[in-house]
Amino acid sequence: VIEENNGVYSVDVNLQTKEGYKFTGHYDGAIKIPNIPGEHFSTLTGDHEVDFTGASTFGTFWGSKYGESTSYFQMSFEGPFEQNPDTYLMDGKGEIVYFELVTDASTAEDGIPAGTYTVGSDKDNPKVNELIPGYQNELGQGVMYGTYYIGAYENGYPSICAGAMTGELTVEREGANYIFDFSFYDDLGNRWYGHWEGEFI
């Protein structure tokens, strides 16, 4: 039984398993429901420059997921988190940037071609030289996909986050060494941007 009054919920639980075991409970208070359809999910309150100090990197090549003559890359940059090691769900401060983009590279060994990648408008049908825009799981679980930023977790959900709705990433490279410069805007008009250079694991 769920009752609500001005954002405060009263929840009474009285359930029974197939084997006949009962469990009951009661809760009074607010309930956070992430990713309500039609609402903004960015929690940035202003522009933000990403700090890549101490960040680990990881890149994955997924081949021609979005059609022939294309290749799909995922890259993650994850900084050190300040969190309790006994916490099961990731909580605490840290910075993560995740890129998903489509190129015309033939193989993983070719790497990410140098050039400018623009945030696309269709997450399901990105084109060559486009980044997949940031979005959340449609089931409201707070899980993020595409190109996005996370600055902290709370109770297992991103509490500081922003998707890339518009903007671009410039990639320069010399052999295995890459230079990334990016500037994106979230769904509230906040700019998040940064610079990174190095090699992917």
Side-chain angles (χ1 to χ4, degrees):
V1 178
I2 301 176
E3 297 178 347
E4 185 266 342
N5 184 17
N6 293 324
V8 178
Y9 288 84
S10 175
V11 182
D12 283 296
V13 178
N14 186 6
L15 301 173
Q16 181 173 305
T17 68
K18 181 173 64 175
E19 296 79 12
Y21 297 104
K22 294 182 178 181
F23 58 98
T24 62
H26 179 80
Y27 171 79
D28 287 312
I31 298 177
K32 180 180 179 181
I33 305 175
N35 194 28
I36 298 174
E39 289 196 357
H40 300 290
F41 67 82
S42 176
T43 61
L44 290 182
T45 57
D47 295 348
H48 178 73
E49 182 176 6
V50 178
D51 182 3
F52 286 107
T53 303
S56 59
T57 65
F58 186 79
T60 306
F61 173 82
W62 291 104
S64 55
K65 178 177 178 179
Y66 292 104
E68 295 183 11
S69 302
T70 70
S71 55
Y72 171 51
F73 284 90
Q74 295 176 320
M75 292 90 64
S76 65
F77 302 79
E78 184 169 334
F81 271 80
E82 302 172 6
Q83 74 179 84
N84 184 336
D86 298 324
T87 302
Y88 177 68
L89 293 174
M90 185 183 291
D91 285 336
K93 294 182 179 180
E95 293 203 294
I96 292 176
V97 175
Y98 202 85
F99 297 99
E100 293 188 18
L101 56 84
V102 178
T103 80
D104 57 3
S106 300
T107 67
E109 288 72 23
D110 291 338
I112 302 165
T116 299
Y117 296 83
T118 303
V119 177
S121 58
D122 186 348
K123 66 180 177 63
D124 297 315
N125 296 289
K127 299 177 177 63
V128 170
N129 290 348
E130 283 190 348
L131 293 142
I132 297 175
Y135 63 100
Q136 281 192 318
N137 184 303
E138 294 175 356
L139 299 177
Q141 297 167 324
V143 180
M144 299 183 69
Y145 301 97
T147 303
Y148 61 84
Y149 164 81
I150 293 177
Y153 282 89
E154 183 178 347
N155 298 323
Y157 294 106
S159 57
I160 300 175
C161 62
M165 302 294 106
T166 60
E168 61 184 31
L169 161 70
T170 300
V171 177
E172 300 177 32
R173 59 179 295 190
E174 183 174 341
N177 190 71
Y178 288 88
I179 299 175
F180 278 25
D181 283 292
F182 61 90
S183 177
F184 302 125
Y185 288 88
D186 66 12
D187 54 5
L188 293 173
N190 298 307
R191 176 175 176 249
W192 57 279
Y193 59 98
H195 171 90
W196 173 85
E197 54 184 284
E199 297 184 10
F200 285 105
I201 296 175

